[in-house]
Structures are given as structure tokens and as C-alpha cells.
Amino acid sequence: MNDKEILRLSAIRDVCEKRIRRMDAARILSLSVRQIQRLATRFRQLGAAGISHQRRGKPSPNKINDDTRLKSLKLIHEHYQDFGPTLAHEKLTELHGLHVSVETLRQWMIADGLWVMPNVILVSTCRTTGVIVWALISTAALPDGATSIPHGSLLAL
């Protein structure tokens, strides 16, 4: 049990032993009176285990099956190795019927080494007019591995 659950246990125990009112326990724990009643009932039925979250230690019900993950990564390795996550997602959905969110696919591809986020820098321009414009430029487009562009210089893309 963590500190929050220990505080909750002591307050609910006090409610069950009628040392404090449910309203006082609700104020202490920042819960509603109805929630305190529900916790007290569960404490009476299950003891201290009833106070902790019942899903602790169990896998998420939204977890995507490992078979789907492995199948997606296998298809990306075979057919779409040079694709980014968005285009790979479109192809997996359209051609293979695998429905996985783009962000999930991105995380899988990063973990598998199939995709690396491009390095992007911010460059300010137009200082002479007093207007600052920020542009996103990939560092792959910079000459000779430079990490920034000097003010006033032009970059041919």
C-alpha cells in the first residue's frame, strides 16, 4: 500500500468504528460522502484489501495483443521498411486490415529501430522587419552537418 491508501485505510477504519463521521472523512480524503460509504462497505466485506485498487497488478484491458504487434512489425520489415509511421499505418489498414493507431505504431517502430524522429531545429528570420518567423528545418538539409544557420544566410532546399 502506498501513503495515499494508508491514509484512506485509517480514515475508513475510523468511519467504520464510528470515531469520525462520513462527512469528515470525505473532507479529509477529498471524496464525496457517497464514495466514503462505498469504501466503508467494501472495507467491511474485504478488509484492508478492499481499499486498494482492484485492478492493481493486472494487465490493461486496452492492451493490444502481442500477435498483432508482431504481425504489424513483420509486415513493416518486409514491405514498408522505409515508410514513416503515418504511411505505414495507412498501408497496414488498407491492404492488410490491421487497425492500430498511428501513435502506437510509431512507438513500436521506434522501439524496433525502424523509425527515428527527424532532428528539427528552429530558425528565426526577418529580423530586419521586426517580424519573427519560425521555420522548422530538418538538420539533414543543413550543409556539412551544421547544427544551425547563421542569421541572414539562405538555405537552398
Side-chain angles (χ1 to χ4, degrees):
M1 287 188 145
N2 58 26
D3 293 338
K4 182 179 176 183
E5 289 173 339
I6 291 172
L7 176 65
R8 186 176 279 198
L9 175 64
S10 66
I12 297 300
R13 183 177 288 142
D14 289 345
V15 167
C16 290
E17 294 173 358
K18 299 191 182 203
R19 283 188 240 161
I20 61 173
R21 298 178 303 165
R22 289 183 295 173
M23 188 177 0
D24 297 331
R27 195 174 317 115
I28 291 169
L29 299 176
S30 300
L31 297 172
S32 67
V33 176
R34 176 68 188 106
Q35 188 75 357
I36 296 296
Q37 181 59 42
R38 186 190 67 74
L39 287 170
T41 302
R42 185 178 290 168
F43 176 74
R44 286 186 201 105
Q45 292 172 348
L46 302 175
I51 299 297
S52 65
H53 198 282
Q54 301 301 304
R55 290 211 47 90
R56 176 176 284 163
K58 296 180 183 175
S60 169
N62 296 325
K63 183 175 171 31
I64 297 174
N65 191 351
D66 283 337
D67 294 337
T68 304
R69 178 179 178 271
L70 293 175
K71 185 176 179 182
S72 298
L73 290 174
K74 181 180 176 191
L75 286 169
I76 291 171
H77 271 290
E78 292 174 1
H79 304 288
Y80 313 115
Q81 193 165 10
D82 56 342
F83 285 22
T86 305
L87 187 55
H89 168 262
E90 290 176 11
K91 295 299 180 182
L92 289 175
T93 303
E94 292 172 5
L95 303 176
H96 304 285
L98 290 172
H99 300 282
V100 179
S101 74
V102 175
E103 187 56 36
T104 300
L105 193 60
R106 177 178 288 113
Q107 295 302 320
W108 289 350
M109 289 174 73
I110 289 171
D112 205 43
L114 288 170
W115 191 70
V116 179
M117 287 185 59
N119 293 330
V120 176
I121 59 170
L122 295 173
V123 178
S124 65
T125 57
C126 301
R127 288 189 188 176
T128 56
T129 61
V131 178
I132 298 177
V133 178
W134 295 95
L136 296 176
I137 300 174
S138 173
T139 55
L142 295 176
D144 300 325
T147 57
S148 65
I149 300 172
H151 176 66
S153 65
L154 298 176
L155 178 66
L157 298 176

